[in-house]
Amino acid sequence: MPPRRISRGLNNMFEKFQCRSCNSPNGELILDLGEQPLANNLLPADAPAGVEAAFPLRLAACTECWLLQITDLVPPKDLFTDYVYFSSTSAAWVHHAAECATRYRSEFALDESSFVVEIASNDGYLLRNFASAGIPHLGIEPAGNIATVARGAGVKTQVDFFSQSLATDLAANRAADLLLANNVFAHAPDTNDFVAGLKALLAPEGWAVLEFPHALEMVRLGEFDTIYHEHVFYFTVTALVPLFARHGLRIVRVERTPMHGGSLRVFARHDGFEADETVAELLAEESAVGVGGLDLYRAFADKALRTQEELTENVAALKRDGKSLAAYGAAAKGSTLLNFCGLTAEDIAFVVDRSPHKVGRLMPGSRVPIVDADELARRAPDVALLLAWNFAEEIIAQQTGYVESGGQFLVPVPEVRLLGKSAKVEA
């Protein structure tokens, strides 16, 4: 499969654009990653060739509010009703969640009289920290298979998609003192409905805390593989302030976290509460580097193309030298990367993953077989392409046997590079 070529036609206005936040018709195409399969639609091992659906994957910018968004939607029920990503498979993410829960319990004085709601609560990786402390809680999780696991861990979970209507119904019984949304905000195609739902469910003195990848970091570092159909939006604070204000909410604090290649933690409250200096500082930073213009995105497109070329050249060179190649991490970003670069099972023998829910399946599009993580050390390929590069430090620490025996990791983002026994992992 040849590499997919991207469009860099930033001056070509495409037809029928309408911003999903401010409704402006003024938008510019940033990247066209071609038609791609759904990134988390892992295939059965015996799936016949040619049966996968593929959908356009294009990124655009609204030139009024500067919200980055994909142009072609796949219905959420096709993406999330039966899901293969279980948050608890990442030790780093579980640790991050536990630290957040401890902090929030103290900072917001949460106790048995409080009510905590998490949107897209997955397998209960975060709420179980509140459940064990006896704090009333509710997880809202659309994937029934994952909700079953959460309930088994003692986390009260409702199978549903979050919406303003659902939030209004829930608030009629009890409003949320703390409303959490980790790595879900960007997935909701009707972003106005989502924020209106936050407003409806939040108690008068409550806090909404959302974490999501920072679009500025994605653009700066060329993290184009973060783009897939589940991620409808790529947020900056510049785009979020008017969106929240439209629904009577105010962003009062912003923090950075290193998760997922650079994320933001946004604290929002009802209108009337004052914002601290972190909001103004980040708005100023985004303005200074060009969030309100197209040059920043032109550079992002150029970097994506360079990564594509460099990675395919590296893989071709390794194959010419007789090196064996595998991959680590059957992540959604890995699907975008493999398909964009035209890498298939002819190039990558297998991909290892720690999740038992993924082992035995095939990567979408590329059809690379997924095997257990222990197979990396056992089969010992010369090089492993690190698809889940955002967990590079955690993964390489787990794979000391592979590295000590001479194995190397080919890291694609933010720069294509080989890491081996003598190399240090960059944060």
Side-chain angles (χ1 to χ4, degrees), residues 56 118 147 154 204 415:
E118 185 183 9
E415 303 292 340

Side-chain angles (χ1 to χ4, degrees), residues 3-235:
R4 299 181 188 270
R5 307 304 291 183
I6 63 173
S7 169
R8 294 183 290 166
L10 291 168
N11 295 319
N12 297 327
M13 187 76 71
F14 54 94
E15 296 179 358
K16 297 181 179 178
F17 174 83
Q18 184 175 32
C19 177
R20 294 190 180 88
S21 175
C22 71
N23 292 319
S24 168
N26 301 318
E28 292 282 344
L29 182 64
I30 304 301
L31 284 179
D32 184 348
L33 296 170
E35 291 199 350
Q36 295 225 10
L38 301 182
N40 276 307
N41 188 27
L42 305 182
L43 303 171
D46 59 354
V51 298
E52 281 182 275
F55 305 88
L57 186 57
R58 302 183 295 172
L59 181 72
C62 172
T63 55
E64 295 292 331
C65 72
W66 294 103
L67 177 61
L68 287 172
Q69 54 205 280
I70 64 171
T71 63
D72 305 273
L73 294 184
V74 177
K77 64 182 179 62
D78 294 337
L79 294 169
F80 304 112
T81 303
D82 184 49
Y83 207 45
V84 296
Y85 178 71
F86 286 71
S87 297
S88 292
T89 58
S90 169
W93 187 246
V94 170
H95 179 70
H96 174 75
E99 287 187 330
C100 289
T102 299
R103 171 191 171 179
Y104 298 153
R105 285 175 56 195
S106 173
E107 185 171 337
F108 304 134
L110 301 174
D111 57 23
E112 293 81 359
S113 66
S114 307
F115 185 42
V116 178
V117 176
E118 185 183 9
I119 304 166
S121 51
N122 203 268
D123 58 8
Y125 73 101
L126 173 57
L127 283 181
R128 67 190 186 193
N129 296 285
F130 296 98
S132 63
I135 296 174
H137 65 276
L138 176 66
I140 302 168
E141 171 54 50
N145 62 316
I146 293 182
T148 298
V149 174
R151 290 168 179 154
V155 175
K156 186 177 179 182
T157 306
Q158 178 172 331
V159 178
D160 217 330
F161 286 96
F162 183 73
S163 66
Q164 182 181 10
S165 175
L166 175 65
T168 301
D169 289 344
L170 293 173
N173 293 318
R174 189 171 189 183
D177 301 293
L178 176 61
L179 187 51
L180 300 169
N182 289 341
N183 299 314
V184 62
F185 189 25
H187 295 183
D190 190 342
T191 197
N192 282 289
D193 181 77
F194 189 98
V195 178
L198 298 179
K199 171 73 174 180
L201 187 52
L202 193 63
E205 299 293 319
W207 294 77
V209 184
L210 301 86
E211 288 194 28
F212 47 83
H214 189 191
L216 180 57
E217 295 306 310
M218 178 188 83
V219 170
R220 276 175 167 170
L221 299 176
E223 298 169 353
F224 67 88
D225 56 343
T226 304
I227 302 168
Y228 44 94
H229 297 98
E230 291 174 19
H231 286 176
V232 180
F233 301 108
Y234 304 82
F235 291 118

Side-chain angles (χ1 to χ4, degrees), residues 191-378:
T191 197
N192 282 289
D193 181 77
F194 189 98
V195 178
L198 298 179
K199 171 73 174 180
L201 187 52
L202 193 63
E205 299 293 319
W207 294 77
V209 184
L210 301 86
E211 288 194 28
F212 47 83
H214 189 191
L216 180 57
E217 295 306 310
M218 178 188 83
V219 170
R220 276 175 167 170
L221 299 176
E223 298 169 353
F224 67 88
D225 56 343
T226 304
I227 302 168
Y228 44 94
H229 297 98
E230 291 174 19
H231 286 176
V232 180
F233 301 108
Y234 304 82
F235 291 118
T236 58
V237 178
T238 299
L240 286 182
V241 167
L243 170 59
F244 276 68
R246 191 178 303 131
H247 299 284
L249 292 174
R250 179 171 296 178
I251 296 175
V252 297
R253 188 193 315 161
V254 182
E255 299 174 354
R256 298 178 187 270
T257 86
M259 306 305 293
H260 299 295
S263 293
L264 294 181
R265 181 184 293 125
V266 166
F267 296 78
R269 307 192 77 181
H270 289 290
D271 200 13
F273 290 94
E274 293 298 319
D276 71 13
E277 68 281 358
T278 61
V279 181
E281 288 170 358
L282 196 43
L283 285 170
E285 178 186 340
E286 291 180 350
S287 176
V289 298
V291 165
L294 290 173
D295 287 348
L296 181 68
Y297 305 117
R298 182 175 293 113
F300 171 57
D302 288 341
K303 185 170 177 57
L305 185 58
R306 287 198 305 272
T307 298
Q308 181 199 57
E309 293 172 346
E310 291 175 14
L311 183 59
T312 53
E313 288 172 2
N314 269 265
V315 170
L318 289 166
K319 290 174 65 178
R320 284 196 302 270
D321 291 342
K323 302 292 187 182
S324 55
L325 278 79
Y328 193 110
K333 61 173 73 258
S335 176
T336 296
L337 185 81
L338 291 175
N339 285 293
F340 178 54
C341 293
L343 300 175
T344 69
E346 294 182 1
D347 307 294
I348 309 295
F350 58 90
V351 55
V352 302
D353 199 276
R354 294 182 64 203
S355 172
H357 306 282
K358 298 182 180 183
V359 170
R361 302 196 191 191
L362 304 175
M363 290 290 289
S366 63
R367 298 180 65 86
V368 179
I370 304 169
V371 300
D372 187 84
D374 291 341
E375 292 296 300
L376 188 65
R378 193 181 73 79

